[in-house]
Amino acid sequence: MVNSYTDLVPTPDRTSLDAIVRAASDLLESDGLPGVTMQAVASRVGVRAPSLYKRVENRDRLIQLVAEATLADLTARLDGLSSVAALADGLRAFSKERPAAFRLVMTPGTGTPVASGAYRAASERILQLAGELAGEEHTLEAARTVTAWATGFIIMELNGGFNLGGDVTRAWEYGVATLVEAITAARPA
Amino acid sequence: MVNSYTDLVPTPDRTSLDAIVRAASDLLESDGLPGVTMQAVASRVGVRAPSLYKRVENRDRLIQLVAEATLADLTARLDGLSSVAALADGLRAFSKERPAAFRLVMTPGTGTPVASGAYRAASERILQLAGELAGEEHTLEAARTVTAWATGFIIMELNGGFNLGGDVTRAWEYGVATLVEAITAARPA
DNA sequence: ACCTGAACACCGTTCAAGT
DNA sequence: ACCTGAACACCGTTCAAGT
């Protein structure tokens, strides 16, 4: 039985969760994390702030979704690479294209727990390659060493933390070479 | 000439910049960065929020001062140590005592530039020791490699990023040993 | 069912008025 | 000179009322 305006003209949705997450990602990169306000996101998708709550629980959850989307992009980006050095370079390149998103994912600070499955997916290739280098027994330690080094290096670089002069890219290459060699050398016979 | 109440009874100051920074540091550790509100800090030093602006420009500057005080503490903490491994262990120990302050200092994100002199002081010993290990030519690269690794490792550890099981401390020791050996091996003849 | 304005609690910050 | 209440702009979030 037709008995209301709603039944006759179901207004088509004016936005979507996907568009919201994308708008938040754009704002994150252009205005930083504090710039990702519900109002700014809403205005970007052509809606008022309260409407966002039909699709996202709250702001924290939205930031979390941005982090997870970023990890998915990163995983895709690293997928084809086949050496530890290429992987490290890919991670660094990604950090330069999307520094704010990279920071969000790698140093979420408090209050934004990201589904660990997303990290696992992104770590898959480094585990594989580290295993080849270090031997099965040291796979996990080797992968952690390389990941920690690359992450730390990139974060320091993004923060302008290398203020003692010198060639930063040279330090990067020195680090990759040093680590790969060391891990290979530590391989059990 | 005495002509006002003020001249007769100069009210003693009820707080100080030092007390404010200390209160902010305590709040940072207990409630996280978002918990460091001007009102919470003010109430902790026994004053109302607007009074804080007599001693600090604004909240961002206050956070910055907390970061600088943290770096000073860290520098003092690392001062006596005399091996790269001891330095790395000291950094990790500090991160467990004051995780929020450590995060603030190592991953300030955007909006809180810390005086670079404070970082320089904290880096002094690692530069010295890395130089002994790596040789003068590679001092800077070696110091950056170790610092990046330790920072990245600790941040990942604080974030609960090591969710693949395994012994985290074992990975830490593997990393220290591997890096020290590699840097020593790369030393020019 | 989705969207909105109005409202609430809570921030950071300013400023005139107190002492 | 330092401190305060009141006020302002701006958040996140809720909710009744529209369509």
Side-chain angles (χ1 to χ4, degrees):
Chain A
M1 202 218 285
V2 171
N3 58 8
S4 83
Y5 179 83
T6 299
D7 291 335
L8 290 168
V9 187
T11 310
D13 294 5
R14 283 179 228 176
T15 185
S16 69
L17 181 56
D18 239 61
I20 290 170
V21 173
R22 233 175 304 122
S25 297
D26 291 349
L27 276 167
L28 172 64
E29 223 55 71
S30 59
D31 296 12
L33 193 53
V36 185
T37 66
M38 298 305 268
Q39 325 220 15
V41 171
S43 130
R44 221 162 230 255
V45 298
V47 109
R48 300 287 187 166
S51 297
L52 298 180
Y53 294 82
K54 284 284 153 183
R55 332 218 179 243
V56 202
E57 290 85 329
N58 51 40
R59 183 177 181 271
D60 276 358
R61 176 70 182 135
L62 174 55
I63 303 295
Q64 203 179 114
L65 291 173
V66 171
E68 282 162 14
T70 301
L71 275 171
D73 292 348
L74 181 59
T75 303
R77 177 76 112 74
L78 263 33
D79 190 38
L81 308 179
S82 55
S83 77
V84 168
L87 227 46
D89 288 349
L91 192 67
R92 186 163 175 239
F94 187 87
S95 82
K96 289 185 174 173
E97 286 165 32
R98 297 173 60 186
F102 183 88
R103 254 193 257 254
L104 176 67
V105 160
M106 293 315 211
T107 66
T110 185
T112 318
V114 176
S116 62
Y119 283 107
R120 206 158 318 183
S123 319
E124 213 164 282
R125 288 208 59 73
I126 179 69
L127 273 170
Q128 205 175 341
L129 294 170
E132 288 172 20
L133 242 53
E136 204 183 333
E137 200 191 335
H138 288 309
T139 297
L140 198 53
E141 285 86 357
R144 282 175 176 170
T145 301
V146 173
T147 306
W149 167 76
T151 303
F153 191 103
I154 293 170
I155 293 291
M156 289 174 67
E157 188 178 16
L158 289 181
N159 288 345
F162 291 131
N163 43 27
L164 267 51
D167 186 336
V168 175
T169 293
R170 189 178 150 207
W172 173 262
E173 280 157 8
Y174 171 93
V176 179
T178 300
L179 276 168
V180 168
E181 196 192 291
I183 288 170
T184 308
R187 184 200 191 106
Chain B
M1 201 220 284
V2 171
N3 60 6
S4 83
Y5 179 83
T6 301
D7 291 334
L8 291 167
V9 187
T11 310
D13 294 6
R14 282 180 229 176
T15 185
S16 69
L17 181 56
D18 239 60
I20 291 170
V21 173
R22 232 173 307 121
S25 296
D26 291 348
L27 276 166
L28 172 63
E29 221 57 69
S30 60
D31 296 13
L33 193 53
V36 185
T37 67
M38 297 305 266
Q39 325 220 14
V41 171
S43 128
R44 222 164 231 254
V45 298
V47 110
R48 298 289 187 165
S51 297
L52 298 179
Y53 293 83
K54 284 283 152 182
R55 332 216 179 244
V56 202
E57 289 85 329
N58 52 40
R59 182 178 181 272
D60 275 359
R61 177 70 181 134
L62 175 55
I63 304 294
Q64 204 179 114
L65 291 173
V66 171
E68 283 162 14
T70 302
L71 276 170
D73 292 348
L74 181 59
T75 304
R77 178 73 114 73
L78 263 34
D79 191 38
L81 308 180
S82 56
S83 78
V84 167
L87 227 47
D89 287 349
L91 193 67
R92 187 164 175 237
F94 186 87
S95 83
K96 289 187 174 172
E97 286 165 30
R98 298 173 59 187
F102 183 88
R103 254 193 258 254
L104 175 67
V105 159
M106 292 317 209
T107 66
T110 187
T112 318
V114 177
S116 62
Y119 283 107
R120 206 159 319 180
S123 319
E124 212 164 281
R125 288 208 61 72
I126 179 69
L127 273 170
Q128 206 175 338
L129 294 171
E132 289 172 21
L133 243 54
E136 205 183 332
E137 200 191 334
H138 287 311
T139 297
L140 198 53
E141 285 86 356
R144 280 174 177 170
T145 301
V146 173
T147 305
W149 167 77
T151 303
F153 191 103
I154 293 169
I155 293 291
M156 289 173 67
E157 188 179 15
L158 288 181
N159 291 341
F162 291 131
N163 44 27
L164 265 52
D167 186 336
V168 175
T169 292
R170 188 179 152 205
W172 173 260
E173 280 157 9
Y174 172 92
V176 180
T178 300
L179 276 167
V180 168
E181 197 191 290
I183 288 171
T184 308
R187 182 199 193 106

